[in-house]
Amino acid sequence: MATVFMKWLETRPQDYERGIHILTLGRLRRIREAILRDFVKAGMRILEIGCGTGVLTARMAARGAHVTAIDISPAMLAEAERTIIASGVSERVALRHMDATSIAERLPASSFDLIVAVLVFSELSPGERRHVLEACARLLAPGGRLLIADEVVPKRALWRLAYVLIHGPLRVVTWLLTRATTRPLHGLETSLPEGLHARAVRTYLGGSLVLYELTPATAGEESRPSPHVIGRLRHKVTPRSLLIDLWALFFRIIPPYPKVRPGLYLIGHPGPDDPVLVTGNFDLTVRRVVRAVDGKVDAWLLVADSAGVNVWCGAGGGYFTTDKIIAAVRSSHLDEVVHHRTLILPQLCANGVDGWRLRRELGWEVLWGPVRAADIPEYLRAGCEKTTAMRLVRFPLKDRLEMTTVTLGFYGLILLLPVMLFWRHLFWPLVWSLAGLSYFYAVVHPWLPGRDGLMKSIPLAAIALLGMLLYSTLWDPASMPTLFRRGVGMAALSVFTGAELQGMSPLMRGEQANWGWEAIIGIALAAIYWGVPMIMGWK
């Protein structure tokens, strides 16, 4: 149960088997045994999607099968290679670095007697699931079978309650650790593409872990993929959009992020020759693109799964990737919708998306659109020619104030909650100091020396200390020990503000770059805060 936590385990291949065994209470081992006992025979041609550490791969090969094992994680494939070599079955295994959505294009049709996917489909979006199922139907030889073992929401009320109570907290923890999650299968039997039938052959953990067997309706029949257009997007203000905007203004960086279902959408009334815009599935990003385009030009909007993160942070953090865009193009059957072969990507995702790989694997041309969504209509009317202004990344005062508010929503909670609980008398002074310093920093940010937030925090601290002295002189005279403690506190708050708020700027590195120095400076200031009064004999 709660295999959602496997997203974190996937970042630690050496611990994956032990961790997933604990999370599934040993039931994953039973599923593997059932697959080996009931379905795997010598001489079979098997495709394993998401082979992970290669444990099942090696055991299927040991039974005489010829296994093609794919995984999108190089670290997992390296672990699988070690497992296979140790098992002595290398001659019957072909390991390939491949995304599940690429199998139809990179593997020959009707070439596998058995396809196995264990804990894979819960990591795919609904559109990707359908696309991979269609691809599997084409890859199966006559009489072939597809086995899917994955997490589902139990049907019985008591088990469903237990599932929610365990799955919910782990999902939050996993999101905080990896910014990714899984999606339990729902209604698999009734949502299959044409030509496939499914039945549950094993259930475990109260029905939350199920092994499905899928077979083509007619031997050798291929599923007929159809273009998948989810709907038409319009710019309109609703109570829901206002609530999301209000949440985004203060708590945008706190998961779970408001998301849009990945897939293909219409803006206006586009035809087969109209442009295709690509973006991530962060709700605010999608709505801003729609607001900029709706009523001005007709366009297709391809929303790729970026884990609900905006395109800039998503590309830099590995959530809005080349593989995700390839999966979105293929799962939406975009090539059947438009006559041209051109994708327009946001310029700000170029830090994590390989345009040349998109051209090579999809055969589509890639254009990098303007930095800001508001420039898209003019860019399209100009024949996809960018002006210098459209290329420049700007960080004007309006954006600085907005992002400061967003950042304060998160960091304010981190700092203010423990203060409210344990040092209540400091709560309001800290609120006004943190807000004042942060918004002052937002205003003067371009003029503070240094290209790094940590460097900018030095002049910021000097200004804050000067302001504190002025306040203590004119409005709230204090003793030397009190002045000293206020000074150390303002210095610490200035370093925190300058170093952490740099992550809000598209012109600077992420705030993680400063965490080591922040820790060292924090320890030093804490030692000064507690040590100097002891040396001076202050009470």
Side-chain angles (χ1 to χ4, degrees):
M1 188 176 289
T3 53
V4 63
F5 202 54
M6 75 180 182
K7 292 299 295 182
W8 179 76
L9 289 175
E10 287 172 3
T11 66
R12 303 173 60 83
Q14 67 277 15
D15 299 324
Y16 180 85
E17 285 300 320
R18 181 170 61 253
I20 205 68
H21 176 75
I22 294 172
L23 283 176
T24 62
L25 303 180
R27 300 314 190 270
L28 183 61
R29 185 175 297 167
R30 294 188 186 179
I31 285 180
R32 288 171 175 167
E33 293 292 343
I35 292 172
L36 291 165
R37 181 182 63 250
D38 299 337
F39 297 98
V40 177
K41 295 179 175 59
M44 268 188 166
R45 299 164 299 168
I46 299 178
L47 170 63
E48 184 180 8
I49 302 174
C51 65
T53 58
V55 172
L56 180 58
T57 313
R59 296 192 63 187
M60 290 191 295
R63 294 178 70 91
H66 299 276
V67 185
T68 299
I70 70 168
D71 204 290
I72 196 173
S73 168
M76 282 292 200
L77 284 173
E79 190 71 20
E81 184 175 18
R82 285 189 283 270
T83 301
I84 289 160
I85 292 173
S87 302
V89 292
S90 300
E91 71 280 359
R92 288 194 293 274
V93 176
L95 290 175
R96 299 185 64 175
H97 181 226
M98 190 186 305
D99 183 76
T101 58
S102 302
I103 57 176
E105 289 75 20
R106 298 177 63 179
L107 297 171
S110 303
S111 56
F112 296 101
D113 305 302
L114 182 67
I115 300 177
V116 179
V118 177
L119 301 180
V120 171
F121 277 74
S122 56
E123 299 191 46
L124 304 176
S125 69
E128 291 171 341
R129 287 177 186 171
R130 185 177 181 86
H131 176 71
V132 174
L133 286 171
E134 291 170 349
C136 288
R138 293 195 293 274
L139 293 178
L140 284 174
R145 297 173 178 178
L146 166 61
L147 302 179
I148 295 176
D150 227 311
E151 183 180 33
V152 301
V153 177
K155 295 178 180 178
R156 296 173 61 182
L158 186 61
W159 280 104
R160 189 184 303 119
L161 176 62
Y163 173 89
V164 170
L165 291 176
I166 296 174
H167 185 274
L170 283 179
R171 184 172 185 175
V172 173
V173 172
T174 302
W175 192 282
L176 291 171
L177 290 171
T178 68
R179 293 298 191 270
T181 188
T182 57
R183 306 169 180 87
L185 300 186
H186 178 71
L188 177 67
E189 299 96 326
T190 59
S191 60
L192 293 172
E194 183 180 354
L196 282 176
H197 291 313
R199 69 181 184 95
V201 295
R202 294 282 189 281
T203 59
Y204 301 93
L205 297 174
S208 65
L209 195 60
V210 180
L211 174 62
Y212 292 97
E213 178 190 12
L214 286 78
T215 54
T218 304
E221 178 185 9
E222 292 187 358
S223 298
R224 294 192 296 273
S226 58
H228 184 58
V229 179
I230 294 177
R232 195 181 311 276
L233 297 175
R234 295 182 176 89
H235 170 56
K236 54 184 178 181
V237 178
T238 65
R240 177 183 178 276
S241 70
L242 289 174
L243 285 174
I244 291 176
D245 285 341
L246 186 63
W247 171 270
L249 181 61
F250 293 100
F251 304 114
R252 186 182 307 171
I253 60 177
I254 300 178
Y257 309 125
K259 296 185 289 187
V260 171
R261 177 183 172 186
L264 185 62
Y265 295 85
L266 305 92
I267 304 178
H269 296 83
D273 296 314
D274 285 314
V276 177
L277 307 173
V278 181
T279 192
N281 71 327
F282 180 37
D283 182 273
L284 186 61
T285 299
V286 172
R287 287 192 293 112
R288 286 184 173 178
V289 172
V290 173
R291 181 178 64 188
V293 175
D294 191 24
K296 301 179 180 69
V297 294
D298 296 321
W300 302 93
L301 184 65
L302 183 64
V303 178
D305 185 3
S306 62
V309 182
N310 67 72
V311 294
W312 175 49
C313 295
Y319 309 112
F320 187 61
T321 64
T322 311
D323 288 309
K324 290 296 184 181
I325 295 173
I326 291 173
V329 171
R330 288 175 173 161
S331 62
S332 64
H333 303 291
L334 186 59
D335 57 344
E336 298 181 21
V337 178
V338 294
H339 293 160
H340 61 83
R341 294 294 181 267
T342 302
L343 302 174
I344 301 174
L345 273 62
Q347 179 180 307
L348 286 182
C349 76
N351 59 329
V353 175
D354 186 343
W356 288 110
R357 186 176 158 213
L358 288 175
R359 295 179 178 97
R360 184 173 62 252
E361 295 196 18
L362 289 175
W364 288 59
E365 179 59 32
V366 172
L367 301 178
W368 301 102
V371 168
R372 295 183 175 271
D375 292 327
I376 291 176
E378 182 183 347
Y379 167 77
L380 294 176
R381 284 192 291 265
C384 297
E385 292 290 334
K386 282 194 292 188
T387 64
T388 301
M390 292 180 187
R391 301 175 186 274
L392 294 178
V393 178
R394 302 184 298 273
F395 195 39
L397 179 60
K398 174 180 175 295
D399 290 356
R400 298 200 300 272
L401 293 174
E402 176 187 354
M403 293 310 300
T404 296
T405 304
V406 169
T407 309
L408 278 179
F410 177 64
Y411 290 121
L413 287 175
I414 291 178
L415 293 178
L416 296 177
L417 280 179
V419 169
M420 184 172 62
L421 292 174
F422 302 109
W423 302 283
R424 195 165 297 177
H425 65 286
L426 294 176
F427 180 79
W428 286 112
L430 181 58
V431 167
W432 294 117
S433 299
L434 181 62
L437 260 179
S438 299
Y439 285 109
F440 176 77
Y441 180 62
V443 172
V444 302
H445 179 274
W447 297 282
L448 290 177
R451 297 191 62 181
D452 185 271
L454 201 61
M455 295 302 297
K456 288 180 180 290
S457 71
I458 297 175
L460 181 66
I463 296 170
L465 289 172
L466 183 61
M468 184 274 295
L469 288 173
L470 185 64
Y471 169 81
S472 298
T473 301
L474 299 179
W475 288 282
D476 187 18
S479 63
M480 182 58 69
T482 301
L483 283 176
F484 169 78
R485 292 189 173 95
R486 286 179 182 175
V488 174
M490 290 304 294
L493 204 56
S494 298
V495 172
F496 177 84
T497 300
E500 288 298 310
L501 265 63
Q502 83 170 37
M504 70 181 181
S505 169
L507 305 175
M508 305 169 75
R509 299 180 299 168
E511 67 276 6
Q512 299 93 333
N514 292 323
W515 284 351
W517 281 108
E518 282 185 76
I520 293 172
I521 294 171
I523 293 171
L525 288 175
I528 292 171
Y529 182 86
W530 294 106
V532 170
M534 293 176 60
I535 295 171
M536 299 298 294
W538 293 337
K539 295 183 180 180

